[in-house]
Amino acid sequence: MSEMADAIRELTQEKGFSLESVKQTIENTLRAAYKRTFGTADNCVITFADDMSDVTVASRKTIVDGVYDSVIEIELEDALKLSPDCEIGDEIDIIVDPKSFDRSAVSVGKQETHKGLNESFKDKLYNEYKDKVGEIIIGYYQRDYNGNIYVDLGKVEGVLPKKYQSPREVYQKGDRIKAVIMELKRISSGLQLVLSRSDPKFVQTTLELEVPEIQDKTVEIKKIVRDAGYRTKIAVATSKEDIDPVGACVGQKGMRIQNVIHELEGEKIDVLRYSDDPAVFIKNALSPAEVNRVVILDDEKKTALAIVNDEQFSVAIGKNGQNVRLANRLCDWNIDVKTEEQAAELDLSELVTRKAAELFNNTSSAEPDEIQVIADLPGVNQDVVSKLKAAGYEDIEKFIVAYENGEIGEIEGVTAEELEEVSKIIHNNVEFVEEDEEESEAAPSEEENTVTEEEEEYFCPECGAKITLDMTHCPSCGVEFEFEEDEE
């Protein structure tokens, strides 16, 4: 086998280049040298042997009677010496010995070879790593330049920019570095991988490697927010009722999550359950703080109030506001945290009454919708609602009768204060009518039957609640009013 075949075999088998890329590089090299020698490569014809043992270079010339350009034309007389059957107008390939190229042409050819092989090498590396963006890769600390850490990854070079480093971590030469691939960059020597240890994707990928339930899609990571080096919050969910998504991520005795924490050099991680109910999700997002209740202030503006006990206030806020800030990002809500005493000063009963007035406002002739279940009440704790429903107290009337008669026993997970809060919300939003009043209204006296004029109904001009002529204050919003008698 020729030297050329040996060189091609080394490039394809040992260096990993494709046969097509090697052929293309050789062809480009010979064309560059040919052009340097003859001024053009338009008529250069390169042919490879089937076993890649040899390559020929030829000049394709047109047969003419009177040559004007010897590079692309040949006299009929000279052509007949090479092929006795040729005629004027035919094209003939004349073999050219590459060794006849001048030294400058050879130099140009070598440059083209290096360039071609380098580009082929870059393409090979790029194709190998392009589908690995977002995956974890392991390398070793090589050097530090302007705060950026360069990582030895074997075939390629990795760089861990300063902005993608955790402030908790310090490296020495030779230290093992585990990071997530963020992007690929072509450089003169090949390919460079941009790495990160501060991106939430790094925590997600690390957790996926520890939790099989995430890998098989049984548990889904809804969202991750992170203050690198300090705290990470992870919201998880599952469609299977028999699986606890939080427990699956934490693992037995916390082993799974501890492995992730160890990789993050001790960074705190809160794994919490995702909920479609914003009040429940906000309560969970403020973990590790224990939240008494959440009041939705404005659905459109996504503002909410989280109420906690005094001893939980600093936990809910976190150092420098970190915990509530991460909770805001996790839920995409603007959360304000108050203690019970601070919340009392805000007069939340007025807020609930105002929201109820908006719900029951009857500015048109249509009848207002009736709330029959506790879950539809404004400002009610949905976590408590679900536990009341499980205990058989979904209906408002059934709950009130049982609560006021002292028939509600202990309900797991629901405190007496929470039951009292539900009762207050019901009384602030629902009007109960006694049965005897309904009967008396349904059976008018004989004198009332003689009245021919229809009785008029009156509504509060502020909130739209129904009122009577003997009232001086609205029973719903408390506004004061007086009636003036019509002068006949």
Side-chain angles (χ1 to χ4, degrees), residues 101-143:
F101 296 159
D102 57 35
R103 296 185 65 178
S104 62
V106 174
S107 177
V108 170
K110 287 182 178 180
Q111 292 176 9
E112 191 67 28
T113 299
H114 288 302
K115 179 181 177 182
L117 290 176
N118 194 26
E119 289 300 319
S120 181
F121 179 68
K122 291 180 183 179
D123 291 340
K124 174 181 172 294
L125 287 178
Y126 186 86
N127 291 330
E128 182 179 346
Y129 285 95
K130 67 179 181 180
D131 296 327
K132 295 184 179 181
V133 173
E135 294 183 6
I136 293 289
I137 195 169
I138 298 174
Y140 295 91
Y141 180 100
Q142 195 173 45
R143 67 184 189 278

mmCIF file of all heavy atoms in Angstrom, residues 101-143:
data_model
loop_
_atom_site.group_PDB
_atom_site.id
_atom_site.type_symbol
_atom_site.label_atom_id
_atom_site.label_comp_id
_atom_site.label_asym_id
_atom_site.label_seq_id
_atom_site.Cartn_x
_atom_site.Cartn_y
_atom_site.Cartn_z
ATOM 1 N N PHE A 101 5.154 21.146 -9.341
ATOM 2 C CA PHE A 101 4.673 22.421 -8.792
ATOM 3 C C PHE A 101 5.838 23.137 -8.113
ATOM 4 O O PHE A 101 6.698 22.504 -7.483
ATOM 5 C CB PHE A 101 3.549 22.208 -7.780
ATOM 6 C CG PHE A 101 2.305 21.604 -8.383
ATOM 7 C CD1 PHE A 101 1.379 20.961 -7.568
ATOM 8 C CD2 PHE A 101 2.046 21.682 -9.741
ATOM 9 C CE1 PHE A 101 0.225 20.418 -8.103
ATOM 10 C CE2 PHE A 101 0.895 21.124 -10.279
ATOM 11 C CZ PHE A 101 -0.022 20.491 -9.458
ATOM 12 N N ASP A 102 5.858 24.482 -8.203
ATOM 13 C CA ASP A 102 6.956 25.217 -7.570
ATOM 14 C C ASP A 102 6.787 25.207 -6.045
ATOM 15 O O ASP A 102 5.762 24.830 -5.514
ATOM 16 C CB ASP A 102 7.048 26.648 -8.113
ATOM 17 C CG ASP A 102 5.752 27.422 -7.938
ATOM 18 O OD1 ASP A 102 5.071 27.206 -6.916
ATOM 19 O OD2 ASP A 102 5.424 28.228 -8.832
ATOM 20 N N ARG A 103 7.836 25.626 -5.347
ATOM 21 C CA ARG A 103 7.866 25.530 -3.883
ATOM 22 C C ARG A 103 6.766 26.360 -3.224
ATOM 23 O O ARG A 103 6.192 25.962 -2.218
ATOM 24 C CB ARG A 103 9.235 25.988 -3.369
ATOM 25 C CG ARG A 103 10.366 25.091 -3.848
ATOM 26 C CD ARG A 103 11.686 25.502 -3.231
ATOM 27 N NE ARG A 103 11.688 25.316 -1.775
ATOM 28 C CZ ARG A 103 12.755 25.563 -1.017
ATOM 29 N NH1 ARG A 103 13.882 26.023 -1.565
ATOM 30 N NH2 ARG A 103 12.698 25.371 0.279
ATOM 31 N N SER A 104 6.479 27.515 -3.804
ATOM 32 C CA SER A 104 5.407 28.347 -3.226
ATOM 33 C C SER A 104 4.064 27.634 -3.333
ATOM 34 O O SER A 104 3.208 27.743 -2.442
ATOM 35 C CB SER A 104 5.348 29.697 -3.930
ATOM 36 O OG SER A 104 5.048 29.541 -5.312
ATOM 37 N N ALA A 105 3.879 26.884 -4.439
ATOM 38 C CA ALA A 105 2.634 26.140 -4.611
ATOM 39 C C ALA A 105 2.513 25.036 -3.570
ATOM 40 O O ALA A 105 1.436 24.774 -3.017
ATOM 41 C CB ALA A 105 2.558 25.566 -6.021
ATOM 42 N N VAL A 106 3.632 24.374 -3.303
ATOM 43 C CA VAL A 106 3.640 23.314 -2.286
ATOM 44 C C VAL A 106 3.326 23.894 -0.908
ATOM 45 O O VAL A 106 2.585 23.316 -0.107
ATOM 46 C CB VAL A 106 5.005 22.595 -2.270
ATOM 47 C CG1 VAL A 106 5.070 21.598 -1.119
ATOM 48 C CG2 VAL A 106 5.246 21.894 -3.605
ATOM 49 N N SER A 107 3.894 25.077 -0.617
ATOM 50 C CA SER A 107 3.638 25.730 0.672
ATOM 51 C C SER A 107 2.161 26.067 0.834
ATOM 52 O O SER A 107 1.568 25.857 1.890
ATOM 53 C CB SER A 107 4.482 26.998 0.780
ATOM 54 O OG SER A 107 4.202 27.674 1.985
ATOM 55 N N VAL A 108 1.570 26.602 -0.243
ATOM 56 C CA VAL A 108 0.137 26.910 -0.219
ATOM 57 C C VAL A 108 -0.670 25.636 0.005
ATOM 58 O O VAL A 108 -1.660 25.605 0.751
ATOM 59 C CB VAL A 108 -0.292 27.614 -1.522
ATOM 60 C CG1 VAL A 108 -1.816 27.703 -1.602
ATOM 61 C CG2 VAL A 108 0.324 28.992 -1.611
ATOM 62 N N GLY A 109 -0.258 24.550 -0.632
ATOM 63 C CA GLY A 109 -0.956 23.279 -0.476
ATOM 64 C C GLY A 109 -0.925 22.774 0.952
ATOM 65 O O GLY A 109 -1.914 22.273 1.479
ATOM 66 N N LYS A 110 0.257 22.911 1.591
ATOM 67 C CA LYS A 110 0.373 22.484 2.991
ATOM 68 C C LYS A 110 -0.552 23.295 3.897
ATOM 69 O O LYS A 110 -1.198 22.756 4.802
ATOM 70 C CB LYS A 110 1.826 22.633 3.454
ATOM 71 C CG LYS A 110 2.772 21.592 2.877
ATOM 72 C CD LYS A 110 4.170 21.797 3.419
ATOM 73 C CE LYS A 110 5.126 20.725 2.888
ATOM 74 N NZ LYS A 110 6.513 20.918 3.421
ATOM 75 N N GLN A 111 -0.601 24.608 3.661
ATOM 76 C CA GLN A 111 -1.485 25.463 4.460
ATOM 77 C C GLN A 111 -2.945 25.040 4.299
ATOM 78 O O GLN A 111 -3.707 24.996 5.264
ATOM 79 C CB GLN A 111 -1.304 26.925 4.041
ATOM 80 C CG GLN A 111 0.050 27.507 4.389
ATOM 81 C CD GLN A 111 0.210 28.923 3.873
ATOM 82 O OE1 GLN A 111 -0.745 29.542 3.392
ATOM 83 N NE2 GLN A 111 1.431 29.452 3.948
ATOM 84 N N GLU A 112 -3.295 24.724 3.067
ATOM 85 C CA GLU A 112 -4.665 24.300 2.802
ATOM 86 C C GLU A 112 -4.966 22.966 3.492
ATOM 87 O O GLU A 112 -6.078 22.737 3.982
ATOM 88 C CB GLU A 112 -4.882 24.178 1.285
ATOM 89 C CG GLU A 112 -6.322 24.011 0.873
ATOM 90 C CD GLU A 112 -7.146 25.254 1.156
ATOM 91 O OE1 GLU A 112 -6.570 26.361 1.154
ATOM 92 O OE2 GLU A 112 -8.367 25.107 1.397
ATOM 93 N N THR A 113 -3.948 22.092 3.531
ATOM 94 C CA THR A 113 -4.121 20.806 4.205
ATOM 95 C C THR A 113 -4.381 20.999 5.692
ATOM 96 O O THR A 113 -5.318 20.424 6.262
ATOM 97 C CB THR A 113 -2.864 19.932 4.011
ATOM 98 O OG1 THR A 113 -2.668 19.694 2.631
ATOM 99 C CG2 THR A 113 -3.020 18.605 4.738
ATOM 100 N N HIS A 114 -3.552 21.807 6.340
ATOM 101 C CA HIS A 114 -3.725 22.068 7.773
ATOM 102 C C HIS A 114 -5.085 22.709 8.061
ATOM 103 O O HIS A 114 -5.777 22.343 9.021
ATOM 104 C CB HIS A 114 -2.598 22.970 8.288
ATOM 105 C CG HIS A 114 -1.279 22.286 8.383
ATOM 106 N ND1 HIS A 114 -1.060 21.162 9.135
ATOM 107 C CD2 HIS A 114 -0.075 22.572 7.795
ATOM 108 C CE1 HIS A 114 0.197 20.774 9.029
ATOM 109 N NE2 HIS A 114 0.830 21.615 8.210
ATOM 110 N N LYS A 115 -5.454 23.651 7.217
ATOM 111 C CA LYS A 115 -6.733 24.330 7.394
ATOM 112 C C LYS A 115 -7.892 23.345 7.246
ATOM 113 O O LYS A 115 -8.832 23.344 8.046
ATOM 114 C CB LYS A 115 -6.865 25.464 6.368
ATOM 115 C CG LYS A 115 -8.181 26.209 6.452
ATOM 116 C CD LYS A 115 -8.253 27.307 5.382
ATOM 117 C CE LYS A 115 -9.600 28.008 5.429
ATOM 118 N NZ LYS A 115 -9.715 29.041 4.368
ATOM 119 N N GLY A 116 -7.799 22.511 6.209
ATOM 120 C CA GLY A 116 -8.874 21.558 5.975
ATOM 121 C C GLY A 116 -9.019 20.543 7.091
ATOM 122 O O GLY A 116 -10.124 20.245 7.546
ATOM 123 N N LEU A 117 -7.875 19.996 7.545
ATOM 124 C CA LEU A 117 -7.921 19.016 8.626
ATOM 125 C C LEU A 117 -8.397 19.649 9.929
ATOM 126 O O LEU A 117 -9.124 19.025 10.715
ATOM 127 C CB LEU A 117 -6.533 18.396 8.821
ATOM 128 C CG LEU A 117 -6.050 17.461 7.701
ATOM 129 C CD1 LEU A 117 -4.635 16.995 7.980
ATOM 130 C CD2 LEU A 117 -6.985 16.267 7.541
ATOM 131 N N ASN A 118 -8.004 20.902 10.157
ATOM 132 C CA ASN A 118 -8.432 21.600 11.372
ATOM 133 C C ASN A 118 -9.936 21.820 11.372
ATOM 134 O O ASN A 118 -10.625 21.592 12.379
ATOM 135 C CB ASN A 118 -7.697 22.942 11.474
ATOM 136 C CG ASN A 118 -7.836 23.555 12.858
ATOM 137 O OD1 ASN A 118 -8.038 22.864 13.835
ATOM 138 N ND2 ASN A 118 -7.715 24.875 12.926
ATOM 139 N N GLU A 119 -10.480 22.256 10.241
ATOM 140 C CA GLU A 119 -11.920 22.464 10.143
ATOM 141 C C GLU A 119 -12.678 21.149 10.268
ATOM 142 O O GLU A 119 -13.737 21.079 10.895
ATOM 143 C CB GLU A 119 -12.263 23.139 8.808
ATOM 144 C CG GLU A 119 -11.843 24.592 8.702
ATOM 145 C CD GLU A 119 -12.508 25.448 9.763
ATOM 146 O OE1 GLU A 119 -13.716 25.240 10.017
ATOM 147 O OE2 GLU A 119 -11.835 26.315 10.339
ATOM 148 N N SER A 120 -12.109 20.105 9.673
ATOM 149 C CA SER A 120 -12.727 18.790 9.777
ATOM 150 C C SER A 120 -12.738 18.312 11.221
ATOM 151 O O SER A 120 -13.719 17.721 11.698
ATOM 152 C CB SER A 120 -11.988 17.792 8.886
ATOM 153 O OG SER A 120 -12.578 16.516 8.962
ATOM 154 N N PHE A 121 -11.654 18.586 11.940
ATOM 155 C CA PHE A 121 -11.555 18.208 13.344
ATOM 156 C C PHE A 121 -12.590 18.957 14.181
ATOM 157 O O PHE A 121 -13.258 18.382 15.053
ATOM 158 C CB PHE A 121 -10.141 18.491 13.847
ATOM 159 C CG PHE A 121 -9.928 18.170 15.288
ATOM 160 C CD1 PHE A 121 -9.949 16.854 15.739
ATOM 161 C CD2 PHE A 121 -9.699 19.180 16.212
ATOM 162 C CE1 PHE A 121 -9.760 16.557 17.084
ATOM 163 C CE2 PHE A 121 -9.499 18.898 17.548
ATOM 164 C CZ PHE A 121 -9.531 17.575 17.990
ATOM 165 N N LYS A 122 -12.745 20.265 13.907
ATOM 166 C CA LYS A 122 -13.736 21.063 14.632
ATOM 167 C C LYS A 122 -15.146 20.552 14.375
ATOM 168 O O LYS A 122 -15.974 20.461 15.292
ATOM 169 C CB LYS A 122 -13.632 22.537 14.214
ATOM 170 C CG LYS A 122 -12.377 23.241 14.676
ATOM 171 C CD LYS A 122 -12.385 24.697 14.210
ATOM 172 C CE LYS A 122 -11.110 25.410 14.594
ATOM 173 N NZ LYS A 122 -11.106 26.821 14.125
ATOM 174 N N ASP A 123 -15.426 20.237 13.122
ATOM 175 C CA ASP A 123 -16.762 19.727 12.778
ATOM 176 C C ASP A 123 -17.035 18.418 13.487
ATOM 177 O O ASP A 123 -18.155 18.166 13.957
ATOM 178 C CB ASP A 123 -16.889 19.545 11.263
ATOM 179 C CG ASP A 123 -16.902 20.860 10.502
ATOM 180 O OD1 ASP A 123 -17.192 21.894 11.141
ATOM 181 O OD2 ASP A 123 -16.617 20.863 9.286
ATOM 182 N N LYS A 124 -16.009 17.566 13.535
ATOM 183 C CA LYS A 124 -16.168 16.270 14.207
ATOM 184 C C LYS A 124 -16.489 16.458 15.684
ATOM 185 O O LYS A 124 -17.392 15.822 16.240
ATOM 186 C CB LYS A 124 -14.883 15.459 14.039
ATOM 187 C CG LYS A 124 -14.864 14.140 14.808
ATOM 188 C CD LYS A 124 -13.552 13.430 14.583
ATOM 189 C CE LYS A 124 -13.445 12.211 15.494
ATOM 190 N NZ LYS A 124 -13.363 12.589 16.915
ATOM 191 N N LEU A 125 -15.742 17.346 16.350
ATOM 192 C CA LEU A 125 -15.991 17.604 17.770
ATOM 193 C C LEU A 125 -17.365 18.236 17.988
ATOM 194 O O LEU A 125 -18.095 17.878 18.933
ATOM 195 C CB LEU A 125 -14.900 18.519 18.339
ATOM 196 C CG LEU A 125 -13.522 17.900 18.547
ATOM 197 C CD1 LEU A 125 -12.558 18.956 19.066
ATOM 198 C CD2 LEU A 125 -13.593 16.724 19.510
ATOM 199 N N TYR A 126 -17.714 19.185 17.130
ATOM 200 C CA TYR A 126 -19.006 19.864 17.278
ATOM 201 C C TYR A 126 -20.150 18.864 17.164
ATOM 202 O O TYR A 126 -21.095 18.896 17.956
ATOM 203 C CB TYR A 126 -19.137 20.959 16.228
ATOM 204 C CG TYR A 126 -20.380 21.799 16.392
ATOM 205 C CD1 TYR A 126 -20.375 22.895 17.252
ATOM 206 C CD2 TYR A 126 -21.555 21.500 15.704
ATOM 207 C CE1 TYR A 126 -21.511 23.673 17.425
ATOM 208 C CE2 TYR A 126 -22.689 22.259 15.871
ATOM 209 C CZ TYR A 126 -22.666 23.343 16.731
ATOM 210 O OH TYR A 126 -23.797 24.095 16.909
ATOM 211 N N ASN A 127 -20.069 17.984 16.177
ATOM 212 C CA ASN A 127 -21.127 16.984 15.992
ATOM 213 C C ASN A 127 -21.193 16.014 17.170
ATOM 214 O O ASN A 127 -22.265 15.489 17.492
ATOM 215 C CB ASN A 127 -20.897 16.205 14.696
ATOM 216 C CG ASN A 127 -21.101 17.058 13.459
ATOM 217 O OD1 ASN A 127 -21.898 17.998 13.480
ATOM 218 N ND2 ASN A 127 -20.387 16.758 12.382
ATOM 219 N N GLU A 128 -20.049 15.810 17.807
ATOM 220 C CA GLU A 128 -20.005 14.890 18.946
ATOM 221 C C GLU A 128 -20.644 15.491 20.191
ATOM 222 O O GLU A 128 -21.269 14.786 20.985
ATOM 223 C CB GLU A 128 -18.550 14.502 19.238
ATOM 224 C CG GLU A 128 -18.388 13.515 20.380
ATOM 225 C CD GLU A 128 -16.935 13.129 20.614
ATOM 226 O OE1 GLU A 128 -16.088 13.412 19.727
ATOM 227 O OE2 GLU A 128 -16.641 12.542 21.676
ATOM 228 N N TYR A 129 -20.521 16.816 20.363
ATOM 229 C CA TYR A 129 -20.982 17.451 21.603
ATOM 230 C C TYR A 129 -22.249 18.285 21.441
ATOM 231 O O TYR A 129 -22.803 18.735 22.451
ATOM 232 C CB TYR A 129 -19.876 18.347 22.180
ATOM 233 C CG TYR A 129 -18.751 17.574 22.827
ATOM 234 C CD1 TYR A 129 -17.611 17.256 22.112
ATOM 235 C CD2 TYR A 129 -18.838 17.160 24.144
ATOM 236 C CE1 TYR A 129 -16.573 16.544 22.694
ATOM 237 C CE2 TYR A 129 -17.806 16.454 24.744
ATOM 238 C CZ TYR A 129 -16.680 16.140 24.016
ATOM 239 O OH TYR A 129 -15.661 15.430 24.599
ATOM 240 N N LYS A 130 -22.722 18.503 20.215
ATOM 241 C CA LYS A 130 -23.847 19.416 20.021
ATOM 242 C C LYS A 130 -25.117 18.949 20.717
ATOM 243 O O LYS A 130 -25.965 19.768 21.118
ATOM 244 C CB LYS A 130 -24.112 19.628 18.524
ATOM 245 C CG LYS A 130 -24.604 18.388 17.801
ATOM 246 C CD LYS A 130 -24.858 18.683 16.328
ATOM 247 C CE LYS A 130 -25.372 17.453 15.600
ATOM 248 N NZ LYS A 130 -25.631 17.734 14.164
ATOM 249 N N ASP A 131 -25.287 17.628 20.870
ATOM 250 C CA ASP A 131 -26.484 17.104 21.525
ATOM 251 C C ASP A 131 -26.304 16.939 23.033
ATOM 252 O O ASP A 131 -27.192 16.422 23.714
ATOM 253 C CB ASP A 131 -26.872 15.748 20.906
ATOM 254 C CG ASP A 131 -27.264 15.876 19.442
ATOM 255 O OD1 ASP A 131 -27.822 16.926 19.077
ATOM 256 O OD2 ASP A 131 -27.003 14.933 18.666
ATOM 257 N N LYS A 132 -25.163 17.377 23.553
ATOM 258 C CA LYS A 132 -24.890 17.216 24.983
ATOM 259 C C LYS A 132 -25.086 18.505 25.776
ATOM 260 O O LYS A 132 -24.793 18.528 26.973
ATOM 261 C CB LYS A 132 -23.455 16.695 25.181
ATOM 262 C CG LYS A 132 -23.246 15.293 24.625
ATOM 263 C CD LYS A 132 -21.853 14.769 24.934
ATOM 264 C CE LYS A 132 -21.680 13.350 24.397
ATOM 265 N NZ LYS A 132 -20.337 12.807 24.712
ATOM 266 N N VAL A 133 -25.555 19.557 25.120
ATOM 267 C CA VAL A 133 -25.843 20.804 25.839
ATOM 268 C C VAL A 133 -26.951 20.534 26.861
ATOM 269 O O VAL A 133 -27.986 19.945 26.536
ATOM 270 C CB VAL A 133 -26.277 21.916 24.869
ATOM 271 C CG1 VAL A 133 -26.725 23.153 25.636
ATOM 272 C CG2 VAL A 133 -25.142 22.262 23.914
ATOM 273 N N GLY A 134 -26.731 20.948 28.096
ATOM 274 C CA GLY A 134 -27.686 20.668 29.166
ATOM 275 C C GLY A 134 -27.334 19.438 29.978
ATOM 276 O O GLY A 134 -27.969 19.164 30.993
ATOM 277 N N GLU A 135 -26.305 18.698 29.542
ATOM 278 C CA GLU A 135 -25.888 17.500 30.265
ATOM 279 C C GLU A 135 -24.724 17.822 31.206
ATOM 280 O O GLU A 135 -24.043 18.830 31.070
ATOM 281 C CB GLU A 135 -25.460 16.399 29.285
ATOM 282 C CG GLU A 135 -26.591 15.860 28.426
ATOM 283 C CD GLU A 135 -26.132 14.722 27.536
ATOM 284 O OE1 GLU A 135 -24.964 14.282 27.672
ATOM 285 O OE2 GLU A 135 -26.933 14.260 26.697
ATOM 286 N N ILE A 136 -24.519 16.909 32.164
ATOM 287 C CA ILE A 136 -23.413 17.044 33.107
ATOM 288 C C ILE A 136 -22.139 16.480 32.490
ATOM 289 O O ILE A 136 -22.155 15.455 31.818
ATOM 290 C CB ILE A 136 -23.729 16.288 34.412
ATOM 291 C CG1 ILE A 136 -24.905 16.955 35.152
ATOM 292 C CG2 ILE A 136 -22.518 16.210 35.319
ATOM 293 C CD1 ILE A 136 -24.583 18.297 35.762
ATOM 294 N N ILE A 137 -21.014 17.163 32.725
ATOM 295 C CA ILE A 137 -19.722 16.680 32.264
ATOM 296 C C ILE A 137 -18.709 16.876 33.390
ATOM 297 O O ILE A 137 -18.855 17.799 34.213
ATOM 298 C CB ILE A 137 -19.271 17.416 30.979
ATOM 299 C CG1 ILE A 137 -18.127 16.681 30.313
ATOM 300 C CG2 ILE A 137 -18.909 18.864 31.275
ATOM 301 C CD1 ILE A 137 -17.798 17.181 28.908
ATOM 302 N N ILE A 138 -17.730 16.011 33.447
ATOM 303 C CA ILE A 138 -16.722 16.054 34.520
ATOM 304 C C ILE A 138 -15.345 16.313 33.919
ATOM 305 O O ILE A 138 -14.959 15.686 32.929
ATOM 306 C CB ILE A 138 -16.716 14.739 35.326
ATOM 307 C CG1 ILE A 138 -18.073 14.529 36.002
ATOM 308 C CG2 ILE A 138 -15.608 14.750 36.379
ATOM 309 C CD1 ILE A 138 -18.206 13.201 36.701
ATOM 310 N N GLY A 139 -14.610 17.247 34.518
ATOM 311 C CA GLY A 139 -13.255 17.551 34.070
ATOM 312 C C GLY A 139 -12.373 17.888 35.263
ATOM 313 O O GLY A 139 -12.761 17.681 36.423
ATOM 314 N N TYR A 140 -11.205 18.445 34.984
ATOM 315 C CA TYR A 140 -10.248 18.752 36.043
ATOM 316 C C TYR A 140 -9.694 20.166 35.866
ATOM 317 O O TYR A 140 -9.434 20.615 34.751
ATOM 318 C CB TYR A 140 -9.106 17.725 36.045
ATOM 319 C CG TYR A 140 -9.598 16.339 36.391
ATOM 320 C CD1 TYR A 140 -10.012 15.466 35.380
ATOM 321 C CD2 TYR A 140 -9.695 15.924 37.716
ATOM 322 C CE1 TYR A 140 -10.494 14.202 35.697
ATOM 323 C CE2 TYR A 140 -10.173 14.676 38.033
ATOM 324 C CZ TYR A 140 -10.578 13.813 37.024
ATOM 325 O OH TYR A 140 -11.076 12.571 37.338
ATOM 326 N N TYR A 141 -9.554 20.833 37.018
ATOM 327 C CA TYR A 141 -9.042 22.214 37.034
ATOM 328 C C TYR A 141 -7.676 22.275 36.346
ATOM 329 O O TYR A 141 -6.776 21.509 36.664
ATOM 330 C CB TYR A 141 -8.946 22.683 38.483
ATOM 331 C CG TYR A 141 -8.442 24.098 38.648
ATOM 332 C CD1 TYR A 141 -9.328 25.144 38.869
ATOM 333 C CD2 TYR A 141 -7.085 24.390 38.608
ATOM 334 C CE1 TYR A 141 -8.865 26.443 39.042
ATOM 335 C CE2 TYR A 141 -6.609 25.678 38.768
ATOM 336 C CZ TYR A 141 -7.510 26.699 38.984
ATOM 337 O OH TYR A 141 -7.041 27.982 39.152
ATOM 338 N N GLN A 142 -7.555 23.211 35.395
ATOM 339 C CA GLN A 142 -6.318 23.339 34.639
ATOM 340 C C GLN A 142 -5.597 24.643 34.964
ATOM 341 O O GLN A 142 -4.432 24.643 35.347
ATOM 342 C CB GLN A 142 -6.635 23.265 33.142
ATOM 343 C CG GLN A 142 -5.434 23.030 32.247
ATOM 344 C CD GLN A 142 -5.852 22.804 30.799
ATOM 345 O OE1 GLN A 142 -6.701 23.540 30.280
ATOM 346 N NE2 GLN A 142 -5.286 21.798 30.159
ATOM 347 N N ARG A 143 -6.341 25.761 34.841
ATOM 348 C CA ARG A 143 -5.729 27.067 35.129
ATOM 349 C C ARG A 143 -6.836 28.091 35.353
ATOM 350 O O ARG A 143 -8.003 27.845 35.067
ATOM 351 C CB ARG A 143 -4.822 27.519 33.978
ATOM 352 C CG ARG A 143 -5.545 27.840 32.700
ATOM 353 C CD ARG A 143 -4.567 28.184 31.588
ATOM 354 N NE ARG A 143 -5.233 28.711 30.399
ATOM 355 C CZ ARG A 143 -5.806 27.981 29.475
ATOM 356 N NH1 ARG A 143 -5.828 26.656 29.602
ATOM 357 N NH2 ARG A 143 -6.386 28.542 28.421
#
